[in-house]
Amino acid sequence: MAPAAVARPAVRPDLVALEGYHSPQVDVAVRLNTNESPIPPPAAWRDALAAELSRIEWHRYPDRAATELRAAIAGLHGVDPAQVLAANGSNEVIQSLCLAYGGAGRTAAVFEPTYRLHSHIASITGTAVAVGLRAPDLSLDLDEVRRVLRQAEPALTFLCSPNNPTGMVDPPEAVREVAELAPGVVVVDEAYGQFADRSALELVDEDRPVVVTRTYSKTWSMAGARLGYLVGPSWLVAELEKVVLPYHLDAAKQVAGRLALRFEAEMRERVAGLVAERERLVAGLGRLPVEQWPSGANFVLFRPTGGDGHAVWEGLLERSVLVRDCSSWPGLEGCLRVTVGTPAEDDAFLAALAEVLGS
Ligand code: PMP
């Protein structure tokens, strides 16, 4: 006789309606959907890493405070190591912020369309989400920001500059104003920071609850490492250290991240190359029947005119080109987002798009 089915335990009620975060990983020839770097890190970094990995004491726990990694990141930004929190991708940094400053009875503010994991991670941590909207041209609308901050009094306010998926960079005056108006912690997500010509890092000091998050996944070409960090006031970092799990950063990752910073000049060179390639991609899109938004990142948001964005996404996929389908996201009807790839990948994308659009 088959055993009687066991009743499945109920999940937390606030998770019932929550959908997982999906970004399809499809096997295609041209993958331009997750804003990775198309160029690997330098071979010299690989060699240095291999040498240091061979000396790791694998039977010991890693340095819990990630002392050397934090010192290296602090050195890069000219801040104190106590002002740096490193974590498994900037997503874990965001999760730590939500765990420490969000949670039951507290609210996080986001301005859509923006990086969806801000509201998703807030929800997972039991933080309520107050959604404000960007202006019709997708820029940050300060009147709307004031309204949301007044009504929701958020414990956390998320900005994203360059903003994913629009690519737009928030003007420094606007970021400064939000920092002055917000009642709680202001998080400026700069995952694409080095692609832009301005940063909120200059706003970080010991007196203001402003933090800037960065990642190794994009400009440092290390998405495989899962490493990100935050720069903020040391007293705030100390609170975040209470919510991260002990030894959350493994020994190999700490070494990989520390060594990567020795190759800053190479990173800047890669970024400059990708910015130039982005302008070529933008020019190519400009010759096709699409609307596009100004990008300060390594991706471009565009909307095929008069067409069905999802059908265009499918048409590209049939041609083995994968881009991000944002066509059903609120405020982005019909839009797709393409990551800047190698010149060959971008040419393949432009050719496939021209074919799909029949131009
Ligand atoms: N912030 C933004 C705006 C992003 O686009 C991403 C990655 N897509 C992240 C954070 C997360 O990056 P990480 O790989 O460091 O978790």
Side-chain angles (χ1 to χ4, degrees), residues 34-35 88-92 94 115 118 160 162 164 189 191-192 215-218 226-228:
T34 45
N35 301 340
N88 292 289
S90 44
N91 283 338
E92 196 195 18
I94 295 165
Y115 183 47
H118 295 156
C160 190
N164 181 7
D189 184 333
Y192 305 93
T215 179
Y216 279 74
S217 301
K218 317 292 179 180
R226 307 302 301 125
L227 183 58

mmCIF file of all heavy atoms in Angstrom, residues 34-35 88-92 94 115 118 160 162 164 189 191-192 215-218 226-228, ligand 1:
data_model
loop_
_atom_site.group_PDB
_atom_site.id
_atom_site.type_symbol
_atom_site.label_atom_id
_atom_site.label_comp_id
_atom_site.label_asym_id
_atom_site.label_seq_id
_atom_site.Cartn_x
_atom_site.Cartn_y
_atom_site.Cartn_z
ATOM 1 N N THR A 34 21.959 39.295 -19.351
ATOM 2 C CA THR A 34 22.184 39.463 -17.907
ATOM 3 C C THR A 34 23.289 40.484 -17.585
ATOM 4 O O THR A 34 23.801 40.496 -16.457
ATOM 5 C CB THR A 34 22.515 38.120 -17.208
ATOM 6 O OG1 THR A 34 23.463 37.413 -17.999
ATOM 7 C CG2 THR A 34 21.274 37.261 -17.036
ATOM 8 N N ASN A 35 23.619 41.334 -18.534
ATOM 9 C CA ASN A 35 24.566 42.437 -18.293
ATOM 10 C C ASN A 35 25.924 41.989 -17.755
ATOM 11 O O ASN A 35 26.577 42.705 -17.001
ATOM 12 C CB ASN A 35 23.952 43.476 -17.333
ATOM 13 C CG ASN A 35 22.659 44.040 -17.889
ATOM 14 O OD1 ASN A 35 22.401 43.955 -19.084
ATOM 15 N ND2 ASN A 35 21.840 44.629 -17.029
ATOM 16 N N ASN A 88 28.206 38.093 -0.700
ATOM 17 C CA ASN A 88 28.095 37.220 -1.884
ATOM 18 C C ASN A 88 27.243 37.902 -2.961
ATOM 19 O O ASN A 88 26.059 37.616 -3.108
ATOM 20 C CB ASN A 88 27.501 35.882 -1.472
ATOM 21 C CG ASN A 88 28.462 35.105 -0.605
ATOM 22 O OD1 ASN A 88 29.474 34.606 -1.081
ATOM 23 N ND2 ASN A 88 28.181 35.034 0.674
ATOM 24 N N GLY A 89 27.850 38.796 -3.682
ATOM 25 C CA GLY A 89 27.112 39.567 -4.679
ATOM 26 C C GLY A 89 26.440 40.748 -4.010
ATOM 27 O O GLY A 89 26.197 40.733 -2.790
ATOM 28 N N SER A 90 26.152 41.784 -4.799
ATOM 29 C CA SER A 90 25.480 42.934 -4.163
ATOM 30 C C SER A 90 24.064 42.550 -3.760
ATOM 31 O O SER A 90 23.462 43.199 -2.916
ATOM 32 C CB SER A 90 25.527 44.181 -5.031
ATOM 33 O OG SER A 90 25.242 43.899 -6.349
ATOM 34 N N ASN A 91 23.549 41.459 -4.322
ATOM 35 C CA ASN A 91 22.233 40.988 -3.857
ATOM 36 C C ASN A 91 22.272 40.618 -2.368
ATOM 37 O O ASN A 91 21.315 40.875 -1.645
ATOM 38 C CB ASN A 91 21.776 39.767 -4.668
ATOM 39 C CG ASN A 91 21.269 40.167 -6.039
ATOM 40 O OD1 ASN A 91 20.884 41.312 -6.255
ATOM 41 N ND2 ASN A 91 21.258 39.232 -6.964
ATOM 42 N N GLU A 92 23.374 40.010 -1.915
ATOM 43 C CA GLU A 92 23.445 39.688 -0.488
ATOM 44 C C GLU A 92 23.627 40.955 0.349
ATOM 45 O O GLU A 92 23.189 41.018 1.499
ATOM 46 C CB GLU A 92 24.561 38.682 -0.184
ATOM 47 C CG GLU A 92 24.363 38.061 1.198
ATOM 48 C CD GLU A 92 25.576 37.324 1.775
ATOM 49 O OE1 GLU A 92 26.707 37.529 1.309
ATOM 50 O OE2 GLU A 92 25.372 36.553 2.716
ATOM 51 N N ILE A 94 22.172 43.770 -0.407
ATOM 52 C CA ILE A 94 20.803 44.307 -0.340
ATOM 53 C C ILE A 94 19.988 43.511 0.682
ATOM 54 O O ILE A 94 19.236 44.064 1.485
ATOM 55 C CB ILE A 94 20.152 44.251 -1.749
ATOM 56 C CG1 ILE A 94 20.892 45.179 -2.706
ATOM 57 C CG2 ILE A 94 18.663 44.621 -1.678
ATOM 58 C CD1 ILE A 94 20.593 44.937 -4.166
ATOM 59 N N TYR A 115 15.532 48.075 -10.686
ATOM 60 C CA TYR A 115 16.031 46.717 -10.471
ATOM 61 C C TYR A 115 15.030 45.951 -9.603
ATOM 62 O O TYR A 115 14.757 46.337 -8.477
ATOM 63 C CB TYR A 115 17.393 46.784 -9.801
ATOM 64 C CG TYR A 115 18.061 45.453 -9.583
ATOM 65 C CD1 TYR A 115 18.117 44.503 -10.595
ATOM 66 C CD2 TYR A 115 18.653 45.161 -8.369
ATOM 67 C CE1 TYR A 115 18.743 43.292 -10.391
ATOM 68 C CE2 TYR A 115 19.295 43.951 -8.162
ATOM 69 C CZ TYR A 115 19.327 43.017 -9.179
ATOM 70 O OH TYR A 115 19.958 41.809 -8.983
ATOM 71 N N HIS A 118 15.319 44.762 -5.703
ATOM 72 C CA HIS A 118 15.165 45.617 -4.521
ATOM 73 C C HIS A 118 13.828 45.293 -3.845
ATOM 74 O O HIS A 118 13.777 45.011 -2.647
ATOM 75 C CB HIS A 118 15.221 47.102 -4.904
ATOM 76 C CG HIS A 118 16.543 47.537 -5.440
ATOM 77 N ND1 HIS A 118 16.710 48.623 -6.274
ATOM 78 C CD2 HIS A 118 17.786 47.005 -5.276
ATOM 79 C CE1 HIS A 118 17.990 48.758 -6.590
ATOM 80 N NE2 HIS A 118 18.650 47.783 -6.003
ATOM 81 N N CYS A 160 18.906 53.565 -7.931
ATOM 82 C CA CYS A 160 19.761 52.704 -8.741
ATOM 83 C C CYS A 160 20.310 53.565 -9.864
ATOM 84 O O CYS A 160 19.550 54.069 -10.689
ATOM 85 C CB CYS A 160 18.916 51.554 -9.294
ATOM 86 S SG CYS A 160 19.869 50.262 -10.088
ATOM 87 N N PRO A 162 23.747 53.866 -12.557
ATOM 88 C CA PRO A 162 22.767 53.780 -13.635
ATOM 89 C C PRO A 162 21.656 52.795 -13.266
ATOM 90 O O PRO A 162 21.932 51.754 -12.662
ATOM 91 C CB PRO A 162 23.574 53.269 -14.831
ATOM 92 C CG PRO A 162 24.997 53.608 -14.509
ATOM 93 C CD PRO A 162 25.114 53.567 -13.029
ATOM 94 N N ASN A 164 18.920 50.011 -13.616
ATOM 95 C CA ASN A 164 18.595 48.808 -14.384
ATOM 96 C C ASN A 164 17.069 48.655 -14.321
ATOM 97 O O ASN A 164 16.536 48.651 -13.218
ATOM 98 C CB ASN A 164 19.285 47.604 -13.726
ATOM 99 C CG ASN A 164 19.020 46.318 -14.459
ATOM 100 O OD1 ASN A 164 18.426 46.305 -15.536
ATOM 101 N ND2 ASN A 164 19.456 45.215 -13.873
ATOM 102 N N ASP A 189 22.300 51.953 -5.493
ATOM 103 C CA ASP A 189 22.833 50.751 -6.121
ATOM 104 C C ASP A 189 23.627 51.176 -7.352
ATOM 105 O O ASP A 189 23.056 51.642 -8.341
ATOM 106 C CB ASP A 189 21.650 49.831 -6.494
ATOM 107 C CG ASP A 189 22.119 48.497 -7.080
ATOM 108 O OD1 ASP A 189 23.217 48.442 -7.660
ATOM 109 O OD2 ASP A 189 21.356 47.521 -6.973
ATOM 110 N N ALA A 191 25.680 49.143 -9.235
ATOM 111 C CA ALA A 191 26.234 47.926 -9.824
ATOM 112 C C ALA A 191 26.974 48.252 -11.133
ATOM 113 O O ALA A 191 27.927 47.575 -11.498
ATOM 114 C CB ALA A 191 25.115 46.918 -10.081
ATOM 115 N N TYR A 192 26.510 49.305 -11.817
ATOM 116 C CA TYR A 192 27.102 49.690 -13.112
ATOM 117 C C TYR A 192 27.892 50.988 -12.972
ATOM 118 O O TYR A 192 28.113 51.700 -13.957
ATOM 119 C CB TYR A 192 25.994 49.823 -14.166
ATOM 120 C CG TYR A 192 25.182 48.553 -14.266
ATOM 121 C CD1 TYR A 192 24.013 48.381 -13.513
ATOM 122 C CD2 TYR A 192 25.608 47.496 -15.047
ATOM 123 C CE1 TYR A 192 23.289 47.203 -13.550
ATOM 124 C CE2 TYR A 192 24.897 46.310 -15.092
ATOM 125 C CZ TYR A 192 23.745 46.165 -14.347
ATOM 126 O OH TYR A 192 23.047 44.991 -14.384
ATOM 127 N N THR A 215 29.415 45.999 -7.304
ATOM 128 C CA THR A 215 29.560 44.560 -7.538
ATOM 129 C C THR A 215 30.802 44.258 -8.370
ATOM 130 O O THR A 215 31.270 45.099 -9.146
ATOM 131 C CB THR A 215 28.315 44.002 -8.251
ATOM 132 O OG1 THR A 215 28.516 42.604 -8.463
ATOM 133 C CG2 THR A 215 28.077 44.658 -9.604
ATOM 134 N N TYR A 216 31.309 43.049 -8.210
ATOM 135 C CA TYR A 216 32.384 42.540 -9.066
ATOM 136 C C TYR A 216 31.799 41.906 -10.339
ATOM 137 O O TYR A 216 32.542 41.484 -11.219
ATOM 138 C CB TYR A 216 33.190 41.470 -8.329
ATOM 139 C CG TYR A 216 34.237 41.998 -7.365
ATOM 140 C CD1 TYR A 216 33.876 42.556 -6.150
ATOM 141 C CD2 TYR A 216 35.591 41.918 -7.662
ATOM 142 C CE1 TYR A 216 34.827 43.025 -5.252
ATOM 143 C CE2 TYR A 216 36.557 42.376 -6.773
ATOM 144 C CZ TYR A 216 36.170 42.924 -5.575
ATOM 145 O OH TYR A 216 37.131 43.375 -4.694
ATOM 146 N N SER A 217 30.470 41.791 -10.404
ATOM 147 C CA SER A 217 29.859 40.991 -11.465
ATOM 148 C C SER A 217 29.895 41.633 -12.851
ATOM 149 O O SER A 217 29.768 40.932 -13.843
ATOM 150 C CB SER A 217 28.396 40.709 -11.128
ATOM 151 O OG SER A 217 28.279 40.022 -9.923
ATOM 152 N N LYS A 218 30.019 42.947 -12.919
ATOM 153 C CA LYS A 218 29.877 43.626 -14.218
ATOM 154 C C LYS A 218 31.209 44.200 -14.681
ATOM 155 O O LYS A 218 31.870 43.620 -15.533
ATOM 156 C CB LYS A 218 28.830 44.741 -14.102
ATOM 157 C CG LYS A 218 27.577 44.379 -13.320
ATOM 158 C CD LYS A 218 26.735 43.346 -14.026
ATOM 159 C CE LYS A 218 25.511 42.997 -13.189
ATOM 160 N NZ LYS A 218 24.662 42.011 -13.812
ATOM 161 N N ARG A 226 30.537 35.787 -7.577
ATOM 162 C CA ARG A 226 29.490 36.220 -6.624
ATOM 163 C C ARG A 226 30.100 37.042 -5.502
ATOM 164 O O ARG A 226 30.264 36.582 -4.372
ATOM 165 C CB ARG A 226 28.697 35.015 -6.047
ATOM 166 C CG ARG A 226 28.102 34.079 -7.060
ATOM 167 C CD ARG A 226 27.151 34.814 -8.004
ATOM 168 N NE ARG A 226 26.052 35.455 -7.306
ATOM 169 C CZ ARG A 226 25.768 36.770 -7.432
ATOM 170 N NH1 ARG A 226 26.468 37.553 -8.231
ATOM 171 N NH2 ARG A 226 24.756 37.274 -6.795
ATOM 172 N N LEU A 227 30.468 38.242 -5.827
ATOM 173 C CA LEU A 227 31.050 39.132 -4.832
ATOM 174 C C LEU A 227 30.579 40.559 -5.070
ATOM 175 O O LEU A 227 30.587 41.050 -6.206
ATOM 176 C CB LEU A 227 32.589 39.043 -4.922
ATOM 177 C CG LEU A 227 33.402 39.844 -3.902
ATOM 178 C CD1 LEU A 227 33.059 39.457 -2.464
ATOM 179 C CD2 LEU A 227 34.899 39.619 -4.138
ATOM 180 N N GLY A 228 30.120 41.198 -4.010
ATOM 181 C CA GLY A 228 29.713 42.597 -4.081
ATOM 182 C C GLY A 228 30.024 43.250 -2.758
ATOM 183 O O GLY A 228 30.473 42.582 -1.819
HETATM 184 N N1 PMP B 1 22.079 45.665 -8.702
HETATM 185 C C1 PMP B 1 21.765 45.807 -9.981
HETATM 186 C C2 PMP B 1 21.208 47.091 -10.442
HETATM 187 C C3 PMP B 1 21.937 44.740 -10.875
HETATM 188 O O1 PMP B 1 21.584 44.880 -12.152
HETATM 189 C C4 PMP B 1 22.475 43.528 -10.396
HETATM 190 C C5 PMP B 1 22.697 42.324 -11.286
HETATM 191 N N2 PMP B 1 21.861 42.135 -12.305
HETATM 192 C C6 PMP B 1 22.764 43.434 -9.053
HETATM 193 C C7 PMP B 1 22.580 44.510 -8.220
HETATM 194 C C8 PMP B 1 23.243 42.152 -8.437
HETATM 195 O O2 PMP B 1 24.529 41.948 -8.716
HETATM 196 P P1 PMP B 1 25.360 40.811 -7.989
HETATM 197 O O3 PMP B 1 25.792 39.919 -9.082
HETATM 198 O O4 PMP B 1 26.486 41.568 -7.358
HETATM 199 O O5 PMP B 1 24.499 40.152 -6.963
#
